[in-house]
Amino acid sequence: MSEPVLVARDGGVLRLSLNRADRSNALGPDIVEALLPAVETAPGDGVRLIVLQGEGRHFCAGFDLSDLEALSDGDLLLRLVRIETLLQAVYHAPVPTLALVRGAAMGAGADLVAACRRRIVVGSGRFAFPGAGFGIALGTRRLAGRVGQDKALEIVAGGRRLDQDEALALGLIDAVVDEDAVAGEIERSTAMATRLESGILATVSGLTLEDGRARDMAALVASASRPGLKDRVMRYQEEVRRARDTRGR
């Protein structure tokens, strides 16, 4: 099987590409456990900018549930904890992070976008934050930091999808560009990242972020550890399937 994350280094720019296009780059343990050390060790290796993108048509379809039948509540809890650990590492990275979103960024994939400092849609994109639909508190504080508390609550509670225009208007993303503008966006982000000495850049970055890591992890564990997690996820999947079938009629 191919590598779950493609790693490419160009000077101070580290490009991390989610490489499970056959499952729309959903966050399974293989992708999470490859991304996390890459993000955590990058600053110490002279990286000044981390670029996150997805191979294929979509950025990331969210939490990988392809093997849900074989998982226990405990298995699901551990996977969610590791995803939150990854999101925290991206959000609090001492170097800038840039998300290049093509296609869908759903659930934990949308949370991964929201965790990045700069967020750009290439062509068209769509976003959804459905975790509350099956009782999971994941990523809401970071979303609120991008779009405001009231809008974040509306998006999470309503479970609706956002296209790139609404995401841009709300502040979830910073720009929508064509494919031929991507190189320029990376150059722009790199110039901003290298203007300051790395130590002061890390200090300034830390001062601009609220550190809610302990509270966010505690909220996630409290929500996910209630008995019946797997059943809640399966019920939610069935509701989504029924809604999709109804729209298709």
Side-chain angles (χ1 to χ4, degrees), residues 19-34:
N19 190 36
R20 288 290 181 259
D22 58 320
R23 61 184 193 225
S24 299
N25 299 316
L27 292 180
D30 55 349
I31 288 182
V32 173
E33 300 306 328

Side-chain angles (χ1 to χ4, degrees), residues 2 7 20 37 68 94 102 134-135 148 184 197 199 249:
S2 59
V7 180
R20 288 290 181 259
L68 179 61
R102 299 171 178 88
F134 48 87
E197 185 269 333
R249 289 172 186 167

Side-chain angles (χ1 to χ4, degrees), residues 57-200:
R57 295 175 53 223
H58 299 297
F59 179 78
C60 177
F63 187 26
D64 186 6
L65 299 172
S66 60
D67 58 348
L68 179 61
E69 291 287 349
L71 301 179
S72 67
D73 281 4
D75 296 329
L76 287 168
L77 174 59
L78 176 58
R79 289 193 185 185
L80 287 165
V81 166
R82 294 301 286 167
I83 288 173
E84 173 63 19
T85 302
L86 169 64
L87 297 175
Q88 292 186 2
V90 172
Y91 188 68
H92 290 279
V95 298
T97 48
L98 168 65
L100 298 177
V101 182
R102 299 171 178 88
M106 301 295 177
D111 291 323
L112 183 57
V113 175
C116 291
R117 287 297 185 93
R118 185 161 172 78
R119 305 160 305 280
I120 295 174
V121 165
V122 183
S124 63
R126 59 187 186 275
F127 305 84
F129 298 82
F134 48 87
I136 297 299
L138 180 69
T140 304
R141 188 193 309 277
R142 289 179 290 268
L143 176 62
R146 304 306 183 198
V147 306
Q149 295 178 346
D150 293 340
K151 283 297 181 181
L153 179 59
E154 176 189 329
I155 292 167
V156 171
R160 62 187 179 85
R161 295 187 177 189
L162 313 175
D163 64 16
Q164 71 275 0
D165 295 330
E166 186 174 8
L168 179 62
L170 289 173
L172 176 59
I173 61 173
D174 299 300
V176 179
V177 304
D178 294 329
E179 195 70 48
D180 58 7
V182 170
E185 289 292 342
I186 293 176
E187 289 178 5
R188 176 185 175 190
S189 294
T190 302
M192 294 174 62
T194 56
R195 178 177 175 271
L196 299 177
E197 185 269 333
S198 59
I200 193 62

